[in-house]
Amino acid sequence: MSRANSRQMKLGAFLMAGGHHIGAWRHPDAVAEAGVDIDHFIGLAQMAEAAKLDMIFVEDAAAIRERNVNIASQAARSTGFEPLSLLAALAVNTSHIGLVATASTTYNDPYGLARTFASIDQLSGGRAGWNLVTSASELEAENFVSSGLRPHAQRYERAEEFAAAATAVWDSVDAGAYVVDGNVYVDPGKLHPVDHRGTHFTAAGLLDSPRSQQGRPVMVQAGASDAGKNLAARTADVVFTAAQTLEEGQEYYADLKARMPSFDREPDDLKILPGVSPIVGRTESEARAKYDALQELIPDEVGVALLASYLSVKDLSQYPLEGPLPEMPQTDGIQSRQQLIIDMGRRENLSIRQLARHFAGARGHWQLIGTPAQIADELEERFYAKAADGFNIMGALFPAGLEDFIILVIPELRRRGLFREEYEGRTLRENLGTRIPARGA
Amino acid sequence: MHIGISITPFGHHPAAWRENGSPDTMDFKHLAAQVKKAEDGALDFAFFADRLGRRPIDDLSPQAVPFEPTTLVAALATVARKIGLIATAATSQHEPYNLARRFASLDTISKGRAGWNLVISPETVAREEEYIDVVSGLWDSWEDDAFVYDKASGRFFVPGKMHVLNHAGAHFKVRGPLNVNRSPQGKPLISQLLTGDTLDIAARSAELIFIGARSPDEARALVADITQRLGRHARMRSDVRILANVVPYIAGTAGEAREIRDRLDALPAAGEKPAGLEVFGSPIGTADRLQDWSETFGIDGFMILPPLVTESTHAFIDGVIPELSKRGMFRNAYMGSTLREHLGLRRPPHPASRSAGASR
């Protein structure tokens, strides 16, 4: 037990309007209108906060996710709240939990985005986090002035420069810069105007809000390619990743943490949180029955289309459902996810339908089905085996999927000394235990 | 009449922060308290300006709000649940898809109380018009009854009620559809502060128009000009609400009210005084003046720019609003729930329902 006291899991609640399971919105317990119901999201954030989770997390795409309208119309994923306005609304209805949203470096500008996250950070008293993505989908590219998807290497080059410029904006105002004592409004010695002129952006001027109470908003990333890992090792506080097996998780963990010293960073200043979709039952058969009920809700054409989108291929419906995946070239989209699916299909000798059903459940993330003790065992193993610093919990449906984890699994983790009883601090950075970066670092 | 209020931490007078400002005055709770006060008075909306129309910012102004306006409004929407909320965003600062999405999301979070105060660059009129058309088109991505949430059949939305914009113009290329449901107001409201070089954009696109005049003559001239231009864009005067910006100094007497202004004017200040009509008076005297202006300018009401927070705000809400209500010139309580309903503006029909209606 002594080892548990020194290191505890960090846990995120990955929220999604229709649930992470593609068919979950059809479940009798699911809130089908979640994408237009702010009080549903406020309730979920407050539930996660009552359980002392580190953060809530929302993903994003600046487009609908499926080109085929017949497929799209059978899923709950085409519309929902825009993440930064959602986070702002949640910020003033919570007090301790971290608030992380995804935003693209390809379709924003550094000053505007840095300013917007700083604003959410002020609204929440230092609990905001930015999940930096480079945006891989053609549907997103088609919604913006520059038509066509940028090649992978160029997106990351832009992302590197974007992160540096955004950091400079956050660092342009020191703590205590606003004096406001009747004589002095701001202390000019604590202002450091940005003058960034790079390959992709120019950014100039001052942040128009006070310094973040956590130093800077927390930086989250999910990139798993070589370029993505280097960016994360250099700039991220949290990495959200996908790992199907213990070995994959360990390999990724060791690789990423080994890259950090060359950027003058301690491995513990970055927390690696793989996604996991837990289906919890009081008995194993209850958990299995919950899973089977969800799988029944997936139409084949929706599952196969979702699989095709993760593989970044246009169409899989021309291949037999009972047969294996066809050979395919490496994509310009999300390379890591594609490889993971191909590997799994080969390893377990799965048909297209089986793979589709599998991935529809947890969208390529780790699926756990079992009792609270079984799920805690699995999480504990990966935590101690250095495959994870914690997990991003992906409820299959909401609120039930998250509620089950909180009511059934969290007490089990606490009994084992694996998860906190109380928040350590008021900011996300304090609760994660990652250090406040020095100005200009 | 219709009345909104422009919120800042210290007040719109450039020296207001010297009187009772502190770093705490800048936090969310302080701003939210002002909005809730305005909601107690059943005001139509709270308004948030933004300096970022003129980037970069190389100084920090006490007349600015220290939050990005759209995120601030999202937060306020959950703590003040009746009043309209208008956030400023410049077309130079956002991609049209991102802006359309942010405001549709705000309208959903606020359940129909969001407005976009449009800031444009007068030198690129063709781009600005195209930008607004793209945003408006994206807001029509979904028909009102597109989402059926039919769990039994597995149909989340009706495919034929999704509309792909496929815009390809001189300045923007945007496929769509928007990934936010049609907003509760049909479309978020569009407002604009009238300036000499943006009259035609306002006449074409704005539904709520602010007159930032410093004299009654200037205000009358702007109202006459914009009213005439509406016709050129096939719009009627009743399609828009025109509000004059007012900076109210309120005390026991007009003389005491002027002393507040003189006291603030005597303090050193870096910024300019706000563009609006100054009024000095008791609550009754102020109500008299507003009644007179609203009857003689051809306007629909006022946007209040309190010179000093919280004194001016409280004096207006607690003194002037009850007096206007007593005269039957302002509501006692909210009658509707959306910003458009507060302002008496119609909910825009979806183009598909319009054409279906025409063919019948």
Side-chain angles (χ1 to χ4, degrees), chain B residues 2-281:
Chain B
H2 299 283
I3 301 178
I5 185 167
S6 176
I7 306 278
T8 60
F10 311 109
H12 286 267
H13 193 288
W17 67 275
R18 293 186 183 271
E19 284 234 334
N20 42 8
S22 76
D24 293 344
T25 315
M26 302 169 67
D27 70 17
F28 174 76
K29 285 198 179 86
H30 182 90
L31 296 173
Q34 288 191 57
V35 173
K36 283 189 218 173
K37 184 74 190 174
E39 190 171 78
D40 289 343
L43 263 53
D44 291 74
F45 60 87
F47 174 92
F48 295 88
D50 191 19
R51 296 174 79 211
L52 269 193
R54 306 186 305 254
R55 267 182 57 196
I57 284 181
D58 51 13
D59 65 332
L60 298 173
S61 164
Q63 290 167 286
V65 182
F67 292 92
E68 185 281 321
T70 63
T71 42
L72 177 59
V73 157
L76 287 166
T78 67
V79 298
R81 294 211 169 208
K82 291 177 179 165
I83 193 168
L85 295 162
I86 299 176
T88 300
T91 57
S92 57
Q93 306 303 327
H94 302 264
E95 292 275 359
Y97 192 91
N98 292 343
L99 184 133
R101 196 180 168 209
R102 179 73 53 80
F103 277 92
S105 188
L106 291 181
D107 206 40
T108 307
I109 290 170
S110 65
K111 300 184 168 71
R113 296 178 291 128
W116 169 31
N117 185 55
L118 168 69
V119 171
I120 56 165
S121 309
E123 55 277 10
T124 54
V125 170
R127 176 194 180 271
E128 305 304 325
E129 290 185 352
E130 188 183 331
Y131 188 111
I132 298 164
D133 289 345
V134 170
V135 169
S136 185
L138 286 169
W139 284 339
D140 280 332
S141 293
W142 306 90
E143 294 181 36
D144 285 317
D145 54 355
F147 292 88
V148 291
Y149 310 110
D150 186 346
K151 289 184 177 184
S153 72
R155 200 59 78 177
F156 195 75
F157 65 81
V158 179
K161 298 191 183 229
M162 180 186 98
H163 297 272
V164 179
L165 183 64
N166 278 325
H167 174 89
H171 303 90
F172 301 102
K173 196 172 166 196
V174 180
R175 178 183 184 268
L178 198 64
N179 56 356
V180 184
N181 291 31
R182 185 165 179 82
S183 90
Q185 296 189 89
K187 294 175 182 182
L189 183 93
I190 296 180
S191 73
Q192 193 184 324
L193 173 67
L194 212 55
T195 55
D197 47 9
T198 59
L199 283 158
D200 267 308
I201 297 242
R204 182 178 180 269
S205 303
E207 299 163 279
L208 178 60
I209 294 167
F210 305 119
I211 306 283
R214 292 179 195 272
S215 74
D217 285 346
E218 193 190 340
R220 278 190 207 97
L222 276 169
V223 172
D225 193 344
I226 188 71
T227 303
Q228 188 203 7
R229 282 173 207 250
L230 286 170
R232 292 187 212 158
H233 297 279
R235 300 177 78 203
M236 307 216 290
R237 175 64 182 82
S238 59
D239 291 339
V240 302
R241 296 290 173 266
I242 302 176
L243 308 186
N245 286 1
V246 165
V247 185
Y249 292 88
I250 303 158
T253 64
E256 288 167 24
R258 277 182 201 280
E259 283 169 19
I260 300 173
R261 199 266 314 261
D262 294 345
R263 195 179 77 219
L264 287 168
D265 279 359
L267 296 168
E272 280 182 25
K273 293 172 85 172
L277 299 164
E278 292 188 330
V279 52
F280 306 92

Side-chain angles (χ1 to χ4, degrees), chain A residues 146 173 401 422:
Chain A
S146 54
V173 176
E422 290 299 333

